[in-house]
Amino acid sequence: MDTYILAIDQGTTSSRAIVFNARGGICGVGQREFSQHYPQDAWVEHDPEEIWQTTLSSCKAAIAAAGLSASDISGIGITNQRETTVVWDRETGAAIYPAIVWQDRRTASQCAGLKAQGLEELVAQRSGLLLDPYFSATKLTWILDNVAGARQRAEAGELAFGTIDSFLLWRLTNGAEHATDATNASRTLLFNIHRQEWDDELLGLFKIPRVLLPKVKDSCDDFGRCDPQWFGKEIPVCSLIGDQQAATVGQACFKPGMVKSTYGTGCFVVLNTGTEALASKHRLLTTVAYRINGEVTYALEGSIFVAGAAVQWLRDGLHLIGSASETQALAESVASSNGVYMVPAFTGLGAPYWDPDARGGIFGLTRDTGIAHIARATLESVCYQTRDLLEAMRGDGADFATLRVDGGMVANNWVVQRLADILDCRCERPMVTETTALGAAYLAGLQLGVYQSLDEIAELWESADGFDPVMNEVDRARRYTGWKNAVARVRTQ
Ligand SMILES: Nc1ncnc2c1ncn2[C@@H]1O[C@H](COP(=O)(O)OP(=O)(O)O)[C@@H](O)[C@H]1O
Ligand SMILES: O=P(O)(O)OC[C@H](O)CO
């Protein structure tokens, strides 16, 4: 009989669940979108109850779609949107405030204040991160300082903090497990990535009581068992891992120097640096790629906040397109973007600029500019932003010949070809593009003994197609200079 693993992929815009077989084949999928809340400029929130309910119903749908029942599932792997912060009541499990999403910039001034005190170097040394509202710590401080009674209740041990992995684990196990994994912990600004423990000095800096925090485990570990009320049977939870790290595993980037880039709501480039926690000289993040049997593999990461979200904006904000996939035909319908550049800094700029106050812009408009040019410029912006990250990685000494790409946006062939052209680098698209869920399933399989090693998992990775650069160097350089000029016009620092 085959072994089946249920991977939960709790993303920024939807909750997904996928049942995989032991060869990494997809047997059933369940997906539920949920609401995005923008209560004020630069604030982004999710309803934790909606996250939980959509996750639960996606799991049930995926098991049903696979024609299976819960007793056929050997284990669960959870992967998640990272940094998003939830605080809940240990007694009732109810969140005391909406989830503050990774894109939320409400704590920009707190970060600027800490930077002004000269604390960025200490924070970077310990956590591998920068002082930016992207990460969990200032979001957590905000909740403790702004929700009535929260700080006292936290100090009294009545509350729990978690990123989405912890929150889902708590719910699935009915409060029996308050845990996270090293990858998710490494996105909080509170975790010492060298010592692999919560850092007292960082906790002091952000005024976070230690009693709020989950236990940090390996990315594949014993995370307890789901309460039978959810699926009719106890199922062990065998892995937790942040979604970009999961995609790194799903893309089998296990050797130092291997790199993947995922194009969903945002875009995240992750370079495996092996057992070395390489400190970037170009404002990239040092992060945990995965931790297995207590052994840490580190990565350099470049994070871009808006990639597919810019396409969503063309659809839902401007109503220029009816669906995301229309952008391919639109981009192909014109010979060039006609000098138009679009900088989608809707929630500030991430790596390598880290400018939370920057806002987006479209430049080079003329009377001849049409929808196709704007759509093409939007897709190109994702390629240019990736180039910014790869330049930074190369500046940090990385040397790679191919980039493994995945995520919803790489269904668009025009985008992948353009990426190869702008990056001057071969882009490989895998057979299974659901690499995030796949990575969580692989780690769960490793914990269950379905796989004996990462090498065995690497053997399962298969390329579907590769895209080689065809653009000439003069064009590439001219276009990239145009992009840099456009970025310079939206920057505030
Ligand atoms: N054919 C396409 N061309 C361009 N963008 C696309 C295409 N298909 C999906 N997208 C974009 O990809 C994103 C969805 O990717 P997905 O990996 O599901 O995201 P997430 O996990 O962040 O929710 C959306 O933002 C959507 O606009
Ligand atoms: O939900 P995604 O796929 O857009 O990923 C979100 C990232 O984890 C944020 O760091």
Side-chain angles (χ1 to χ4, degrees):
M1 211 186 78
D2 210 342
T3 302
Y4 298 101
I5 292 168
L6 177 68
I8 296 173
D9 175 6
Q10 203 303 305
T12 310
T13 57
S14 74
S15 301
R16 257 198 299 260
I18 303 184
V19 175
F20 288 97
N21 62 27
R23 293 170 304 287
I26 293 179
C27 304
V29 181
Q31 180 165 12
R32 304 280 184 270
E33 292 206 355
F34 58 87
S35 335
Q36 308 289 315
H37 300 280
Y38 306 104
Q40 290 190 33
D41 174 40
W43 290 31
V44 189
E45 296 179 352
H46 292 160
D47 174 0
E49 284 314 317
E50 214 186 339
I51 286 189
W52 164 241
Q53 290 301 338
T54 52
T55 300
L56 199 57
S57 70
S58 307
C59 290
K60 290 178 181 167
I63 296 170
L68 300 170
S69 72
S71 47
D72 302 311
I73 305 293
S74 301
I76 293 181
I78 302 177
T79 180
N80 55 290
Q81 53 166 322
R82 305 165 305 166
E83 300 96 13
T84 299
T85 298
V86 190
V87 177
W88 64 92
D89 183 318
R90 286 183 186 271
E91 197 59 40
T92 64
I96 65 160
Y97 188 79
I100 303 186
V101 178
W102 58 277
Q103 297 157 318
D104 191 292
R105 323 262 81 202
R106 79 184 65 183
T107 55
S109 62
Q110 285 88 326
C111 292
L114 292 166
K115 255 193 242 179
Q117 291 174 48
L119 291 166
E120 190 153 64
E121 205 180 308
L122 170 90
V123 168
Q125 268 171 10
R126 304 279 176 92
S127 70
L129 309 175
L130 298 162
L131 281 168
D132 190 89
Y134 176 28
F135 308 106
S136 314
T138 57
K139 300 180 198 290
L140 176 53
T141 310
W142 190 94
I143 292 176
L144 296 182
D145 289 343
N146 289 277
V147 175
R151 186 166 287 284
Q152 294 89 308
R153 295 191 63 206
E155 278 159 4
E158 292 172 25
L159 303 179
F161 151 78
T163 38
I164 296 295
D165 54 313
S166 295
F167 175 66
L168 292 178
L169 182 68
W170 177 282
R171 285 291 175 100
L172 284 169
T173 61
N174 244 354
E177 289 282 328
H178 185 209
T180 187
D181 87 304
T183 67
N184 277 295
S186 79
R187 315 296 297 185
T188 58
L189 274 176
L190 303 171
F191 190 66
N192 187 315
I193 58 169
H194 311 285
R195 300 169 63 117
Q196 291 290 303
E197 60 187 25
W198 300 118
D199 187 298
D200 282 325
E201 213 166 335
L202 294 178
L203 294 180
L205 206 68
F206 295 102
K207 305 192 185 68
I208 307 295
R210 188 178 258 273
V211 61
L212 266 176
L213 303 177
K215 182 169 189 215
V216 183
K217 296 188 169 187
D218 286 349
S219 308
C220 44
D221 212 320
D222 176 0
F223 289 100
R225 304 175 82 79
C226 295
D227 192 276
Q229 69 175 300
W230 307 125
F231 306 115
K233 179 194 166 266
E234 282 190 343
I235 307 175
V237 182
C238 307
S239 75
L240 302 189
I241 181 166
D243 60 5
Q244 300 312 318
Q245 286 88 343
T248 308
V249 172
Q251 287 275 34
C253 290
F254 299 135
K255 295 206 168 78
M258 292 182 80
V259 59
K260 74 89 202 174
S261 187
T262 301
Y263 298 88
T265 305
C267 157
F268 302 88
V269 182
V270 177
L271 170 80
N272 185 321
T273 61
T275 51
E276 188 190 359
L278 199 79
S280 173
K281 294 187 182 66
H282 298 88
R283 300 181 70 70
L284 298 170
L285 309 172
T286 308
T287 206
V288 176
Y290 42 87
R291 196 176 94 189
I292 298 173
N293 294 329
E295 189 177 308
V296 186
T297 297
Y298 291 94
L300 272 187
E301 174 176 317
S303 321
I304 300 169
F305 300 142
V306 175
V311 176
Q312 278 171 348
W313 177 69
L314 296 182
R315 188 192 62 190
D316 306 335
L318 298 187
H319 304 288
L320 295 183
I321 53 174
S323 73
S325 57
E326 282 172 34
T327 53
Q328 176 160 345
L330 275 172
E332 284 165 353
S333 73
V334 287
S336 82
S337 50
N338 225 4
V340 176
Y341 287 90
M342 135 70 140
V343 185
F346 303 145
T347 54
L349 286 166
Y353 307 104
W354 300 106
D355 186 345
D357 296 320
R359 290 294 176 266
I362 303 181
F363 302 99
L365 298 176
T366 67
R367 186 64 184 79
D368 295 330
T369 303
I371 291 173
H373 300 112
I374 293 176
R376 187 169 163 130
T378 302
L379 299 181
E380 282 178 330
S381 73
V382 174
C383 306
Y384 293 129
Q385 291 185 95
T386 309
R387 166 110 180 234
D388 288 340
L389 300 181
L390 293 203
E391 297 264 312
M393 285 185 175
R394 287 189 171 123
D396 281 331
D399 179 22
F400 42 83
T402 61
L403 177 67
R404 294 186 172 183
V405 298
D406 57 78
M409 224 179 161
V410 305
N412 186 320
N413 286 341
W414 191 87
V415 168
V416 188
Q417 182 57 52
R418 201 59 166 184
L419 261 177
D421 284 336
I422 299 294
L423 304 176
D424 195 17
C425 175
R426 180 176 167 82
C427 292
E428 296 245 27
R429 193 162 55 181
M431 288 297 272
V432 180
T433 53
E434 291 285 358
T435 54
T436 302
L438 183 60
Y442 278 155
L443 289 184
L446 201 59
Q447 175 69 12
L448 289 163
V450 178
Y451 314 107
Q452 303 311 313
S453 66
L454 292 181
D455 286 343
E456 192 181 331
I457 292 170
E459 300 262 304
L460 298 171
W461 188 87
E462 247 185 291
S463 172
D465 36 27
F467 295 73
D468 288 305
V470 291
M471 187 182 279
N472 70 58
E473 186 49 44
V474 174
D475 272 355
R476 181 170 21 252
R478 181 176 50 79
R479 286 167 208 267
Y480 189 55
T481 302
W483 163 257
K484 293 294 252 184
N485 289 338
V487 170
R489 291 162 76 176
V490 308
R491 290 182 69 178
T492 66
Q493 45 177 280

